[in-house]
Amino acid sequence: MAGREQAAQRVAALRHEIEQHNVRYYVYDEPSIPDAEYDRLMGELTALETEHPELVTPDSPTQRVGAAPLAEFGSVQHAVPMLSLGNGFDDEDVLAFDKRVGDTLRGAGLLGPAEAARYFCELKLDGLAITLRYEDGELVQAATRGDGQTGEDVTANIRTIKAIPLRLKGPAPEVLEVRGEVLMNRSDFERLNQKQAARDEKVFVNPRNAAAGSLRQLDPRVTAQRPLRFFAYSWGEVRGLPAGTPVVFDETGGAVRASSLPRDTHGGMLQWLAGLGLPVNVRFNHEAIGAEGLLAFYRRIGAERSGLPYDIDGVVYKVDALAAQRVLGFVARAPRWALAHKFPAEEAVTDLLGIEVQVGRTGAITPVARLKPVFVGGVTVTNATLHNEDEIRRKDVRVGDVVVVRRAGDVIPEVVGPVLERRAADFPLFVMPTECPVCGSAIERPEGETIARCTGGLFCPAQRKQTLLHAAGRKALDIEGLGEKLIDQLVDQGRLKTLADVFTLDAFELAALERMGKKSAENLVAAIEQARRPSLGRLLFALGIRHVGETTARDVARHFGNIEAIMQADEAALLEVPDVGPVVAGSIHRFFLEAHNRDVVHQLQQRGVQPQAEAQTQDGNLTGKTFVLTGTMPTWSRDEATRYILAAGGKVSGSVSKKTAYVVAGEEAGSKLVKAQELGVTILDEDGLKALLGQ
Ligand code: IVH
């Protein structure tokens, strides 16, 4: 147990730090640390205050939620306080919550001895809480939560949000306070940030901050330009309903004399709100029974999380029956009848130990952060991308900083920005090296481009390695066993200079390499042998020509039929290939103008590589139809499905648009499926696709 003196000092330090973060977060909408780190500081303070109750003061951050409102907005006293939610982090927390609820309700005779409690499950939307006051059906006031008692008057801004009705539908009560979340969709957020950057204006760290920043604009005309959304999930004061009179309860459990309030459950109330024209998240709201039902919801939403249109940081469970909610009541500022079950944090803080640069296949130089290992998004992260020089400048990230690292889903971890409060010294700015760290060639960054490149071309071992790795890849020559480690060794020994050298490797010399046995050497030679008869499209793709992806390579191969014709084609001839534009045509033409590239092709031919003509498009029933594949299909791989679709004359694209004819969605389909639903594109499963293909 910490000594009293020590505890008092730590409490003071924690309060000071939390207050600073509060101001940044609540007043300026600019969080300086991730939520998980903030929660950790609050947790430490709460624990110390529990241990030493005499240290608790009324102004401690544990005694209120958030900081004081901005002076420029009028303040609004909430008629019914706006509450917070208790948090749960693992299955045990959920089991304990359900047990507490069950015990209390059984004690009150509201639940049978063997009966499980009924809950209403919602998404925990990562936006900002808002209360809307309707009088006689008219929106008269809107306020932020503020400290729970007093919020900011943001009526003028809220009126600009199209999702929020200015007048309710149908017979309305005298007073209705609706509570919910204002948020921004991820796609809207990306677009907004692009616009902001183009105008040299502030870019936001995440959709929540963009939503909060947009709502806290003093000029409502600016808010009106921002793509804000709203979902209702609760209510405050409800008074004077039209005739008929069941009783409902407000957030604090106070009984509200209602007249024709139609439902006595939370779900029923939300339905009623939806009926009045308020947006309710009907797509995900869900009824569940007992802890098992809650956990099943949590897992399902966890799997869908990365594909949702907006950020969520957990799910919320609410006891459904309002009478049961009243019996359960409140602790401090949170209801005992609800629990926020949080997802693992996607952001964490750690030390930035260094910045190195990596050289990609086309020479692109990517600055990479070397980090003190940190657990984030479910894995330990030691490296994270810093994207490019401009990003480092924009974010003002410096070696020595404490930085915020983000890893969401399977996305590559990235450095979001520094925690400026923790910058210990005036660390120097990052400067892009002028020479390639691998080959020593000059690094150049053409005027107007964001990407710096090593000018060494295939002379640069890093580019050579990446080019070979690309050529051996599954979608190119598909040489199983020719991976990174092996390529590193062979390039470093000077044994592999070009792709053509791969076809001179023999089992004897391969077996002598590190980590290679006789058997794997023989397997690799067999794989190389198979790769001598690639389709023309795969060979073209394997050459790693800039801007030439798998589909373009196949289109070009189909059009010209053989490699000589492609090598001789000028830009005009290349432009005749459907879907090939000037950038691609120019890139292919320039590639084959280089003697060393033509040499590689000739050497490949001399070493027995014989590209096979690409299968011609059949005039099948799918001619001209574009497909998008997403998720995992039960039996077909995406490559297989792609082949069948192409063979039937269809096209396969990576992104969903209005022009997409079908989206084929498998298990764990993500944002593409959501987009397809939004656009009303026909969605098929594997069987549906097979039926379409006549299989
Ligand atoms: S209910 C009495 N439902 O989480 C309960 N809150 O940690 C009042 N939030 O201030 C809140 N999604 O900003 C509720 N489906 C949801 C929510 C939700 C997000 C936020 C809200 C609230 C905070 C509490």
Side-chain angles (χ1 to χ4, degrees):
M1 198 193 261
R4 196 189 170 284
E5 191 72 285
Q6 261 178 316
Q9 273 177 15
R10 182 68 188 141
V11 162
L14 282 167
R15 283 183 190 158
H16 182 71
E17 178 162 8
I18 291 168
E19 281 299 347
Q20 277 191 324
H21 293 312
N22 272 353
V23 172
R24 286 280 299 272
Y25 187 97
Y26 286 105
V27 182
Y28 298 107
D29 302 320
E30 271 184 331
S32 38
I33 48 170
D35 292 358
E37 176 73 0
Y38 181 88
D39 289 347
R40 194 189 62 72
L41 296 173
M42 279 296 270
E44 190 184 343
L45 181 59
T46 310
L48 280 169
E49 288 182 353
T50 313
E51 211 176 307
H52 302 276
E54 74 281 10
L55 295 177
V56 180
T57 56
D59 66 352
S60 170
T62 58
Q63 304 300 299
R64 63 191 178 101
V65 190
L70 283 166
E72 292 95 328
F73 287 111
S75 56
V76 173
Q77 188 78 23
H78 300 307
V80 175
M82 289 182 77
L83 300 164
S84 175
L85 292 168
N87 289 329
F89 298 94
D90 52 28
D91 289 10
E92 277 75 67
D93 293 341
V94 177
L95 292 171
F97 165 71
D98 177 55
K99 182 168 182 326
R100 262 192 326 267
V101 166
D103 289 350
T104 310
L105 297 186
R106 270 185 286 273
L110 286 175
L111 205 62
E115 218 180 329
R118 173 179 285 277
Y119 297 95
F120 196 78
C121 305
E122 299 169 4
L123 302 186
K124 189 166 188 312
L125 304 164
D126 206 2
L128 76 160
I130 280 293
T131 182
L132 308 172
R133 188 175 173 89
Y134 289 90
E135 288 179 4
D136 297 321
E138 202 88 46
L139 176 67
V140 293
Q141 191 173 61
T144 61
R145 185 172 75 175
D147 63 5
Q149 306 287 337
T150 311
E152 293 164 341
D153 186 337
V154 287
T155 316
N157 290 341
I158 284 291
R159 290 179 69 92
T160 69
I161 302 179
K162 297 194 183 67
I164 296 177
L166 296 174
R167 173 152 249 310
L168 297 176
K169 285 198 284 195
E174 272 168 47
V175 174
L176 170 62
E177 271 185 16
V178 179
R179 272 133 195 215
E181 203 85 349
V182 165
L183 52 95
M184 196 179 283
N185 277 5
R186 290 173 184 150
S187 52
D188 291 334
F189 160 75
E190 298 293 345
R191 260 193 301 274
L192 171 63
N193 261 357
Q194 277 164 14
K195 261 203 276 179
Q196 294 285 102
R199 289 187 303 216
D200 247 353
E201 281 175 32
K202 176 189 162 133
V203 292
F204 299 96
V205 227
N206 55 37
R208 177 169 46 97
N209 283 93
S214 302
L215 202 60
R216 293 257 182 79
Q217 281 291 335
L218 287 165
D219 182 353
R221 285 172 305 183
V222 176
T223 312
Q225 304 299 313
R226 301 283 170 83
L228 294 171
R229 287 153 208 266
F230 174 79
F231 283 121
Y233 49 63
S234 182
W235 60 93
E237 192 180 354
V238 186
R239 185 151 46 89
L241 285 129
T245 305
V247 175
V248 293
F249 307 98
D250 64 32
E251 268 188 7
T252 59
V256 171
R257 293 278 138 211
S259 7
S260 66
L261 256 199
R263 307 285 200 286
D264 57 1
T265 59
H266 181 83
M269 281 297 284
L270 293 194
Q271 229 172 51
W272 177 63
L273 295 180
L276 293 173
L278 290 152
V280 168
N281 199 352
V282 281
R283 199 170 131 207
F284 291 103
N285 289 352
H286 176 80
E287 282 172 30
I289 293 176
E292 242 170 74
L294 300 180
L295 291 172
F297 180 73
Y298 178 80
R299 299 208 172 97
R300 174 164 74 79
I301 299 300
E304 287 181 42
R305 182 185 186 190
S306 61
L308 296 177
Y310 38 73
D311 284 353
I312 59 172
D313 57 345
V315 294
V316 184
Y317 311 134
K318 298 173 179 177
V319 170
D320 200 24
L322 301 183
Q325 289 187 2
R326 191 153 97 110
V327 165
L328 286 153
F330 296 81
V331 266
R333 284 162 189 281
R336 267 203 217 101
W337 45 261
L339 182 75
H341 189 179
K342 301 290 253 328
F343 288 127
E346 290 181 329
E347 289 183 358
V349 287
T350 190
D351 296 343
L352 176 60
L353 306 176
I355 299 178
E356 289 170 13
V357 297
Q358 259 173 14
V359 189
R361 176 163 64 84
T362 56
I365 303 279
T366 309
V368 177
R370 299 280 172 240
L371 304 167
K372 186 170 156 206
V374 61
F375 192 74
V376 56
V379 297
T380 300
V381 167
T382 48
N383 300 322
T385 180
L386 281 158
H387 301 291
N388 57 57
E389 198 178 2
D390 290 354
E391 281 283 298
I392 300 181
R393 284 284 143 81
R394 185 174 70 71
K395 293 172 176 166
D396 189 20
V397 178
R398 307 186 193 185
V399 174
D401 274 343
V402 174
V403 291
V404 177
V405 180
R406 181 175 171 82
R407 181 185 181 270
D410 288 335
V411 182
I412 302 169
E414 63 159 357
V415 173
V416 178
V419 181
L420 288 175
E421 281 80 358
R422 295 208 192 158
R423 179 169 286 168
D426 191 13
F427 300 122
L429 289 166
F430 167 77
V431 227
M432 185 57 101
T434 51
E435 285 175 6
C436 172
V438 181
C439 72
S441 304
I443 289 181
E444 278 176 7
R445 182 174 158 190
E447 190 73 31
E449 288 196 15
T450 42
I451 306 292
R453 286 178 201 278
C454 159
T455 53
L458 290 184
F459 167 75
C460 175
Q463 293 190 46
R464 206 181 302 152
K465 285 175 185 174
Q466 294 297 325
T467 304
L468 288 166
L469 202 58
H470 164 81
R474 227 163 29 86
K475 293 178 175 169
L477 298 184
D478 195 13
I479 308 178
E480 211 185 313
L482 189 57
E484 201 172 336
K485 298 260 152 54
L486 210 56
I487 289 178
D488 278 356
Q489 289 183 59
L490 290 164
V491 170
D492 291 344
Q493 289 175 6
R495 179 63 184 82
L496 285 188
K497 292 212 167 56
T498 73
L499 177 56
D501 295 337
V502 170
F503 294 92
T504 63
L505 293 170
D506 64 50
F508 184 71
E509 64 171 329
L510 285 172
L513 295 171
E514 259 173 58
R515 288 180 221 229
M516 281 293 273
K518 185 158 170 275
K519 186 75 199 141
S520 29
E522 280 168 9
N523 287 346
L524 178 54
V525 169
I528 294 173
E529 195 48 46
Q530 278 210 342
R532 282 187 214 273
R533 294 175 70 77
S535 69
L536 181 56
R538 278 176 176 264
L539 180 69
L540 195 59
F541 178 61
L543 292 174
I545 305 169
R546 246 179 111 186
H547 306 298
V548 178
E550 215 191 328
T551 314
T552 306
R554 202 164 35 223
D555 290 349
V556 172
R558 275 210 185 110
H559 183 84
F560 289 99
N562 63 69
I563 191 77
E564 277 73 24
I566 300 172
M567 291 207 286
Q568 281 159 22
D570 58 13
E571 286 191 41
L574 285 158
L575 280 169
E576 282 177 21
V577 182
D579 292 337
V580 165
V583 173
V584 173
S587 180
I588 299 177
H589 183 56
R590 276 194 305 279
F591 183 89
F592 288 116
L593 275 182
E594 300 268 355
H596 65 93
N597 289 333
R598 287 198 307 270
D599 286 348
V600 169
V601 174
H602 291 137
Q603 277 172 11
L604 282 167
Q605 287 169 324
Q606 280 158 16
R607 291 168 190 174
V609 178
Q610 292 177 348
Q612 309 294 300
E614 198 69 31
Q616 287 300 319
T617 340
Q618 297 163 8
D619 250 348
N621 47 343
L622 305 186
T623 307
K625 297 247 186 328
T626 304
F627 286 70
V628 173
L629 307 175
T630 175
T632 316
M633 279 168 270
T635 64
W636 275 356
S637 71
R638 281 201 205 180
D639 282 351
E640 274 172 302
T642 304
R643 275 203 296 279
Y644 286 120
I645 293 169
L646 295 176
K651 288 191 196 164
V652 175
S653 154
S655 56
V656 182
S657 73
K658 272 186 251 155
K659 292 186 189 148
T660 310
Y662 301 98
V663 165
V664 184
E667 191 101 2
E668 299 203 5
S671 56
K672 292 176 191 170
L673 176 57
V674 176
K675 181 103 184 267
Q677 284 162 342
E678 277 171 13
L679 294 175
V681 173
T682 309
I683 297 162
L684 303 173
D685 59 5
E686 184 183 300
D687 287 343
L689 173 62
K690 284 182 175 165
L692 205 62
L693 291 163
Q695 299 209 1

